[in-house]
């Protein structure tokens, strides 16, 4: 019996949903998409995802996956593998980086929701520490984060780098010469076909500014773009 195409339940501005979408597109996995409004989450969402979190990958009427890192590994497994190592230590390292990138997303949220310049600078200091850790973690031989091939770590990182690239157009985060390896990796990842295709139906800069206004209304960054 053939399984129906998986259904991605998401909203446009969510970086974790974008990770899943990049994986679906990179692996050319047939799928359906259900776009929801983050301000008006439907009642049925809480029946398949704790606290109405997204993204959700609904596989059928009974099974739904609701943690982005688990969804990424599932999609890799059903499409031939290879986006994360099967070697226990290397696999655990990649999983650790993916979790750390999630904490970087939290730090990014603190940047765009800072109420004033003082709180922004405090969030910026914490962010720079995280970015420095990422810089030092990049495989020195590259060109991708973990080495020669595009991986789940790159997929997890691409949405963060895309948002940081847009934010850097609005406010100074760090000197251009800082974090050269991360900047080179950012150029490489943001040019990947699946990454570009994941925002093909968006005016990303407009969406990004709208997201800042929604999440950080009247805050420091929001005041700079009005």
């Amino acid at each position: 019996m053939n399984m129906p195409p998986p259904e991605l339940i998401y909203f446009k501005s969510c970086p974790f949903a974008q990770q899943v979408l990049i994986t679906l597109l990179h692996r050319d996995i047939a799928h359906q998409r259900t776009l929801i409004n983050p301000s008006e989450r439907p009642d049925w969402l809480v029946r398949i995802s704790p606290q109405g979190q997204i993204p959700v990958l609904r596989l059928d009427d009974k099974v739904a996956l609701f943690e982005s890192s688990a969804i990424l590994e599932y999609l890799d497994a059903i499409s031939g593998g290879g986006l994360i190592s099967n070697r226990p230590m290397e696999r655990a390292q990649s999983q650790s980086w993916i979790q750390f990138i999630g904490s970087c997303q939290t730090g990014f949220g603190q940047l765009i929701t800072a109420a004033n310049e003082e709180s922004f600078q405090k969030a910026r200091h914490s962010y720079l520490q995280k970015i420095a850790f990422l810089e030092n973690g990049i495989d020195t031989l590259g060109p991708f984060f973990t080495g020669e091939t595009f991986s789940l770590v790159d997929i997890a990182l691409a949405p963060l780098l895309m948002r940081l690239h847009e934010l850097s157009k609005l406010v100074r985060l760090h000197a251009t010469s800082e974090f050269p390896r991360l900047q080179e990796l950012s150029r490489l990842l943001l040019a990947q076909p699946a990454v570009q295709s994941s925002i093909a139906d968006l005016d990303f800069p407009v969406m990004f500014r709208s997201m800042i206004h929604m999440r950080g209304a009247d805050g420091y960054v929001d005041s700079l773009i009005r």
Side-chain angles (χ1 to χ4, degrees), residues 154-220:
D154 298 300
I155 288 171
L157 187 56
L160 173 65
L161 295 180
M162 184 176 292
R163 285 155 178 77
L164 290 174
H165 177 70
E166 287 298 322
L167 185 59
S168 68
K169 298 176 183 179
L170 308 175
V171 61
R172 187 179 186 275
L173 296 174
H174 53 75
T176 305
S177 59
E178 290 186 87
F179 314 120
R181 288 193 292 175
L182 195 62
Q183 290 190 46
E184 183 61 30
L185 180 60
S186 179
R187 285 190 287 269
L188 176 64
L189 294 185
L190 300 192
Q192 294 299 303
V195 175
Q196 286 293 308
S197 296
S198 71
I199 58 168
D201 62 342
L202 298 176
D203 185 330
F204 190 82
V206 171
M207 184 277 290
F208 182 75
R209 290 182 178 224
S210 297
M211 182 265 294
I212 288 176
H213 183 62
M214 180 179 71
R215 293 188 58 190
D218 300 320
Y220 178 70

